[in-house]
Amino acid sequence: MITIHSTYNFPPFLKGIVRDIRPVWLLEELGMPYQVKWNDVQKAEHKSPEHVRHNPFGKVPAMSDGDFSLFESAAIVNYIADKAGKLIPKAGTRERAVHDQWCFAAVNTVEQPVFDVFVCDTFAKDTPGVAERRANSLANAKARMAVLDKELSDRAYIAGSAFSAADVMMVTVLAYARAPEILADAPHVRAYLERCTSRPAYQKALALQGKGPG
Ligand SMILES: N[C@@H](CCC(=O)N[C@@H](CS)C(=O)NCC(=O)O)C(=O)O
């Protein structure tokens, strides 16, 4: 069975932010059996030799499937969808290339500025130069949203007309856009987020996040 290595005991404002929601959401969409290995962040269990066996960076998520381990949320999400043979185009097709393009766009092109605004508003809010840093990241985040808004103006999902694993990646990246300015001029992105986060599988994954073993 697939095990998702997650964390608990983190501050409540990180609910919906911690990246372990990505594989858990997908597993819920697929109705695949899985279990969660909870790591207590207060005890730095995600830095323990046991966890580092699955993710050498000491981060979450990690996944294990029998004796096979994987880290990086996008790689885990694609592995799980491939294993199910659902919510992802067949490997080697153009459709799959486009799907993967949007996964990389999520974690590479969109995540950085959107996440940095979140960091400026939270962890880094009292650091020197934060106002300038935030203004720069906000401008970049809004520029990315303008592109996404155009893309999403004529289709319901990021890689086409059907929900796919690429939406799990894009939506969970867009969840970092807690500063209202980021999405203010992106009505199609807002509608897309609403469409995807209202899915029962997302709501289940969100409810499970950070729950811990208790
Ligand atoms: N690129 C990685 C990022 C993983 C990552 O930064 N995870 C955070 C939680 S969202 C983490 O484990 N932070 C705890 C730490 O670095 O100690 C992925 O997408 O899986």
Side-chain angles (χ1 to χ4, degrees):
M1 195 195 308
I2 286 180
T3 301
I4 302 300
H5 301 257
S6 301
T7 49
Y8 70 109
N9 251 342
F10 51 75
F13 75 93
L14 291 177
K15 192 148 172 105
I17 298 289
V18 181
R19 294 167 176 89
D20 58 10
I21 198 170
R22 297 171 180 175
V24 173
W25 178 13
L26 181 67
L27 285 157
E28 290 290 345
E29 290 283 353
L30 293 165
M32 262 169 105
Y34 67 96
Q35 59 190 10
V36 178
K37 166 75 174 67
W38 295 106
N39 292 278
D40 185 343
V41 283
Q42 301 295 330
K43 296 184 182 154
E45 284 176 351
H46 58 311
K47 308 294 178 193
S48 68
E50 160 57 18
H51 181 73
V52 166
R53 261 186 338 111
H54 305 291
N55 186 332
F57 294 110
K59 291 182 179 287
V60 296
M63 183 213 75
S64 47
D65 184 8
D67 61 1
F68 178 62
S69 292
L70 208 56
F71 60 92
E72 283 299 328
S73 56
I76 297 169
V77 160
N78 278 10
Y79 172 86
I80 293 169
D82 274 334
K83 187 175 168 103
K86 286 184 196 150
L87 299 184
I88 196 163
K90 212 169 163 315
T93 62
R94 286 188 176 187
E95 290 77 12
R96 176 58 174 270
V98 169
H99 174 277
D100 292 354
Q101 159 195 278
W102 284 113
C103 291
F104 286 118
V107 293
N108 205 341
T109 307
V110 179
E111 183 169 303
Q112 195 279 329
V114 176
F115 190 60
D116 197 55
V117 174
F118 176 76
V119 170
C120 288
D121 291 342
T122 54
F123 303 110
K125 69 178 189 317
D126 297 321
T127 57
V130 70
E132 198 183 330
R133 172 180 163 184
R134 187 184 190 280
N136 184 49
S137 287
L138 179 61
N140 287 331
K142 285 178 76 87
R144 305 291 186 275
M145 289 314 115
V147 174
L148 281 187
D149 205 59
K150 194 158 175 275
E151 290 288 333
L152 288 165
S153 64
D154 65 355
R155 62 180 189 269
Y157 298 103
I158 198 63
S161 58
F163 180 84
S164 72
D167 295 300
V168 168
M169 296 309 301
M170 189 59 84
V171 168
T172 51
V173 163
L174 292 172
Y176 302 146
R178 290 212 177 144
E181 311 97 285
I182 297 177
L183 296 175
D185 305 323
H188 298 107
V189 180
R190 291 199 305 273
Y192 166 70
L193 267 178
E194 175 58 32
R195 189 176 310 130
C196 294
T197 58
S198 61
R199 294 173 75 89
Y202 176 84
Q203 291 300 326
K204 269 183 99 170
L206 186 62
L208 182 70
Q209 184 162 60
K211 233 175 160 198

